[in-house]
């Protein structure tokens, strides 16, 4: 509590020192904070020094390091005894994922004299508190923005990362995760979700083109969508409003395809419309998958005059819904072979069946898509994955 | 968008377009190659003038379009919109699998009719 109050007037740069000082009074020494980059490949120490607040800091890869393991598995992991501090026999060095319970922000390192359950709980508490402090400071921190980037970013991506909600949500028996690539050179892809009462609004958008105007188009579309939604418009009314706004701004020269959906998190009822986008995929029981059907009403802004049909689907507990853009399935390797829809769905099924959390699955999926495409995508690729537990959840592990 | 390097080829060459008259008020535009970000302006420059005459029927052969992206689709939607303004007729001939998939996913196939051959297009 004292740490929370002390943090109110501290910028991001002062957090590591503040956290370490408070942790020391609770017996956790040499505490260090590491944040993960945008693509979740490296963990960089937040030192508070220099233009990126990371000068003089160590760096670990997410794949193949112990801190990376703690991050991937969202766990508390000790270093082997022999690597512990020599001057403190019996002491241990720990790595714990920094998470607000939903989004993974990085890892925290700490040394303790003992390894009992009370100590482990203190470490988890400290990581939770650190997550909340980072979240409260990063939105106005350029240092943080620099620290989590490993490449220069284009203007469209700068817009898109400010437009999207956090890449993770959990609540009311429902978990949502999202990934978007190329993280630094995105064009017109964007995802959105929001909660109102028991309704979870979901959307995935793809603005045509790959230039900055595509990014502007996507921004206008999402803003118009939220504006209509917040005034109580239905899905079809919302998409009509988006269409009108796009025509006013771009005179039918710019279009956006989208799936807009509402999930009732209490009943599992999904309602959705198709504005000329790839159809959603439903994964049930981890055994069978199906493409949901709804005739396309044409891209928003194209004014094709097609009827907007509303489709419904009753979820069963454990169902997962995949909304995605074409870059995921159409990424091509050197021989021109597409990553493909089957490989995409199969990947999610194999990795998200108890082996990994939803967000770790998405991280690995995007790494596989990028790898398939030799590390650089031509087209934008976005996935929004929603899992509905329908009251059968134990704890929601993001 | 980085400036084109000296060794990078002119990517508009990946699309070939030519127009044949099929008699009075009817013509066939054949496009071969890739209809994308780089070539869509070339495609539209050839197609749009043909649609300005409201009495014209314009057939567009897309059987040899190996690749189409969202910018390519945009040029087809723009062509459809021009016909709505001028009254010209536009029909697609034997669109390739890739083109057909994109037209179907977006619903554009509902407004842009496709025919297997030139002869299958009604007068």
């Amino acid at each position: 509590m004292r740490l929370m109050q002390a943090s109110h007037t501290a910028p991001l740069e002062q957090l590591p020192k503040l956290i370490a000082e408070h942790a020391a009074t609770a017996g956790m020494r040499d505490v260090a904070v590491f944040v993960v980059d945008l693509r979740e490949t490296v963990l960089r120490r937040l030192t508070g020094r220099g233009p990126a607040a990371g000068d003089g800091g160590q760096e670990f890869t997410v794949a193949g390091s112990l801190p990376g393991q703690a991050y991937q598995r969202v766990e508390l992991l000790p270093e082997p005894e022999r690597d512990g501090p020599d001057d403190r026999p019996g002491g241990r060095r720990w790595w714990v994922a920094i998470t607000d319970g939903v989004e993974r922000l990085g890892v925290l390192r700490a040394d303790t004299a003992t390894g009992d359950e009370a100590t482990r709980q203190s470490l988890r508490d400290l990581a939770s508190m650190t997550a909340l402090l980072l979240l409260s400071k990063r939105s106005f921190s350029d240092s943080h923005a620099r620290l989590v980037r490993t490449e220069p970013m284009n203007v469209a991506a700068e817009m898109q990362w400010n437009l999207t909600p956090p890449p993770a949500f959990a609540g009311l028996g429902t978990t949502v995760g999202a990934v978007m690539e190329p993280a630094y050179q995105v064009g017109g892809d964007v995802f959105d979700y929001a909660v109102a009462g028991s309704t979870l609004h979901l959307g995935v958008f793809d603005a045509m083109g790959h230039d900055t105007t595509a990014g502007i188009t996507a921004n206008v579309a999402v803003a118009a969508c939220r504006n209509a939604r917040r005034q109580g418009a239905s899905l079809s009314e919302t998409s009509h409003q988006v269409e009108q706004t796009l025509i006013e701004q771009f005179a039918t020269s710019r279009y956006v395809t989208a799936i807009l959906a509402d999930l009732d998190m209490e009943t599992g009822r999904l309602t959705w419309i198709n504005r000329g986008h790839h159809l959603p995929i439903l994964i049930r029981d981890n055994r069978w998958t199906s493409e949901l059907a709804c005739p396309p009403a044409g891209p928003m802004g194209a004014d094709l005059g097609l009827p907007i049909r509303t489709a419904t689907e009753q979820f069963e507990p454990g169902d997962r819904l995949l909304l995605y853009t074409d870059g995921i399935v159409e990424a091509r390797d050197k021989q021109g072979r597409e990553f493909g829809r089957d490989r995409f769905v199969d990947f999610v099924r194999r990795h998200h069946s108890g082996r990994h959390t939803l967000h770790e699955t998405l991280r690995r999926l995007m790494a596989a898509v990028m790898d398939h495409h030799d590390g650089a995508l031509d087209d934008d690729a976005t996935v929004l994955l929603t899992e509905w537990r329908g009251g059968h959840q134990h704890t929601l592990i993001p | 968008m980085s400036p084109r390097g000296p060794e990078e080829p002119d990517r508009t060459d990946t699309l070939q377009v030519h127009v044949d008259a099929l008699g009075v008020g009817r013509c066939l535009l054949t496009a071969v190659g890739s209809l994308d970000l780089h070539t869509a302006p070339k495609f539209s420059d050839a197609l749009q003038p043909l649609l300005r005459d409201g009495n014209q029927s314009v057939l567009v052969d897309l059987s040899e379009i190996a690749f189409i992206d969202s910018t390519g689709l945009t040029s087809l939607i723009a062509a459809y919109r021009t016909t709505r303004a001028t009254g010209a007729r536009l029909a697609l001939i034997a669109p390739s699998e890739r083109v057909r998939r994109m037209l179907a996913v977006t619903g554009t196939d509902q407004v842009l009719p496709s025919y297997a051959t030139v002869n299958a297009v009604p007068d």
Side-chain angles (χ1 to χ4, degrees), chain A residues 126-148:
Chain A
L126 183 65
S128 286
M129 175 64 86
T130 301
L132 295 179
L133 295 179
L134 284 173
L135 285 174
S136 73
K137 305 294 178 189
R138 72 172 178 187
S139 61
F140 53 90
S141 172
D142 268 8
S143 314
H144 183 272
R146 289 189 188 116
L147 189 58
V148 301

Side-chain angles (χ1 to χ4, degrees), chain A residues 304-315:
Chain A
L304 298 186
L306 298 171
I308 305 170
R309 303 234 170 76
T310 304
T312 56
E313 188 75 28
Q314 179 59 51
F315 277 11

Side-chain angles (χ1 to χ4, degrees), chain A residues 229-292:
Chain A
R229 191 176 76 204
R230 288 167 184 170
Q231 293 179 60
S234 68
L235 289 171
S236 69
E237 286 162 0
T238 297
S239 90
H240 184 70
Q241 289 291 325
V242 174
E243 177 138 77
Q244 291 309 309
T245 308
L246 289 172
I247 290 169
E248 277 164 32
Q249 294 303 316
F250 303 106
T252 71
S253 68
R254 289 283 170 166
Y255 319 128
V256 180
T257 69
I259 299 288
L260 300 181
D262 287 345
L263 174 66
D264 185 323
M265 294 184 281
E266 279 172 5
T267 65
R269 188 94 172 149
L270 182 82
T271 313
W272 63 285
I273 60 165
N274 173 12
R275 295 306 308 254
H277 199 85
H278 282 285
L279 293 166
I281 295 169
L282 184 70
I283 304 178
R284 179 160 293 169
D285 282 347
N286 219 41
R287 282 203 312 267
W288 64 267
T289 63
S290 66
E291 214 170 52
L292 302 183

Side-chain angles (χ1 to χ4, degrees), chain A residues 18-89:
Chain A
L18 208 60
I19 292 165
E21 282 170 4
H22 279 78
T25 64
M28 294 173 276
R29 293 178 306 277
D30 286 329
V31 169
V33 176
F34 292 74
V35 295
V36 75
D37 71 306
L38 210 51
R39 208 170 251 157
E40 298 175 276
T41 55
V42 293
L43 295 156
R44 289 176 168 172
R45 183 165 174 186
L46 178 69
T47 60
R49 295 188 298 276
D55 276 9
Q58 232 181 329
E59 186 172 304
F60 296 97
T61 54
V62 169
S65 73
L66 184 68
Q69 279 294 310
Y71 178 86
Q72 287 182 35
R73 290 153 56 183
V74 202
E75 274 182 11
L76 173 67
L77 297 177
E79 279 192 7
E81 296 272 6
R82 56 189 164 77
D83 292 333
D86 297 333
D87 55 337
R88 286 189 286 269

Side-chain angles (χ1 to χ4, degrees), chain A residues 326, chain B residues 68-70 73 98-107:
Chain A
D326 46 13
Chain B
I68 183 170
D69 72 357
S70 61
L73 178 70
R98 177 96 194 189
V99 174
R100 231 174 330 133
R101 195 161 54 155
M102 191 140 196
L103 294 172
V105 163
T106 55

Side-chain angles (χ1 to χ4, degrees), chain B residues 26 28 57-63 89-96 100 103 109 111-123:
Chain B
R26 197 166 160 118
L28 173 67
S57 274
V58 182
L59 314 184
V60 180
D61 187 328
L62 297 176
S63 59
R89 290 177 57 200
L90 175 63
L92 307 182
I93 307 300
S96 62
R100 231 174 330 133
L103 294 172
D109 61 348
V111 297
L112 269 182
S114 292
Y115 300 91
T117 63
V118 169
N119 292 332
V121 182
D123 286 327

Side-chain angles (χ1 to χ4, degrees), chain A residues 208-209 252 298 302 332 338, chain B residues 70 74 77 81 84 98 105-106:
Chain A
M208 294 179 174
T252 71
R332 286 163 182 273
E338 290 190 346
Chain B
S70 61
T74 303
I77 292 177
R81 297 191 57 82
R84 281 217 318 214
R98 177 96 194 189
V105 163
T106 55

